[in-house]
Amino acid sequence: MIAIVGAQGSGKTTLARAAAEKFGGVQISIDDVYLTRARREAMAEEVHPLFLTRGPPGTHDLRMLGRLMKALGTARPDDKTLLPDFDKRGDDRRPIREWRVFEGRPRAILVDAWCLGALPEDEAALAEPVNALERDRDPDGTWRRAVNGFVAGSYADFAAKFDAIVFLKAPGFEVVLDWRSQQEADLLGVTPGRLPAAERRHLAVFIQFFERITRRMLDGGVIAHTVVPLDRDRRPGSIPE
């Protein structure tokens, strides 16, 4: 079981799919096991409104992912395992009839999951907001403390189950907006230069949900067996022993 982690747009899914295809494995994205819209709406009411937005720790169904990985790891040659799929445009899980099917037992399970292996912060670090989102929409720190609790708890426990964690290390957080914009342009079938300005502004806000943990990981706050440094064009540098 191998986790591939790193900032948005760093190439986690692309690498996981390619490795799964080459080595007879299966690729699963943590993006496909987001909590349903209804469950996130409940969290938004019970904990903090920012939990409506998918992505940060606390918005994934790790139990579902754990059951899926167990089923794949114990599957017989003729077994068929359904792989969840999430509709990001519709912001909800797709119906089961639209899920992918994997047949047999994979040689490896590759999970692309941006925040697995991240280390929690201490209380002092949580006190100050890192961006406008935290300053304006989480002024008392309730949301970021709750997210940090998930990082320290269920996400750390889940990351410990993996045989290896590979961290694709961006050169800095400043590249994330360009990388994420390129992803969105690809989904829309346009070049990055033709991505609507309103869409880029929306993404500039969206990546703020990921900024604190991404910066933490880039500063060394991550447990990883292998760190792959990337340049601005996502070309890998030398991998430390």
Side-chain angles (χ1 to χ4, degrees), residues 58-184:
T59 63
H60 306 97
D61 192 336
L62 295 184
R63 291 184 179 180
M64 180 184 189
L65 182 55
R67 291 193 300 269
L68 173 60
M69 294 172 67
K70 183 177 180 180
L72 287 165
T74 58
R76 295 168 297 184
D78 57 346
D79 283 346
K80 294 181 179 179
T81 305
L82 291 171
L83 306 180
D85 192 14
F86 193 90
D87 179 6
K88 292 184 178 179
R89 288 288 175 180
D91 196 26
D92 214 341
R93 199 173 293 162
R94 294 186 189 277
I96 292 177
R97 64 179 180 274
E98 298 180 17
W99 292 6
R100 293 183 293 151
V101 176
F102 186 87
E103 186 169 350
R105 183 185 300 180
R107 293 181 61 195
I109 299 173
L110 295 113
V111 179
D112 55 275
W114 76 277
C115 57
L116 282 184
L119 295 173
E121 294 182 287
D122 58 29
E123 182 64 25
L126 294 169
E128 293 298 322
V130 299
N131 53 35
L133 176 83
E134 293 187 358
R135 184 190 67 233
D136 299 338
R137 299 177 63 185
D138 184 39
D140 64 357
T142 297
W143 173 72
R144 54 186 181 267
R145 288 184 176 87
V147 169
N148 196 59
F150 284 115
V151 171
S154 56
Y155 283 69
D157 293 341
F158 196 79
K161 298 178 181 180
F162 284 80
D163 298 299
I165 296 178
V166 178
F167 176 37
L168 303 183
K169 186 178 182 181
F173 187 77
E174 67 277 1
V175 305
V176 175
L177 179 57
D178 285 341
W179 286 1
R180 186 62 184 84
S181 295
Q182 183 179 359
Q183 282 185 318
E184 198 66 21

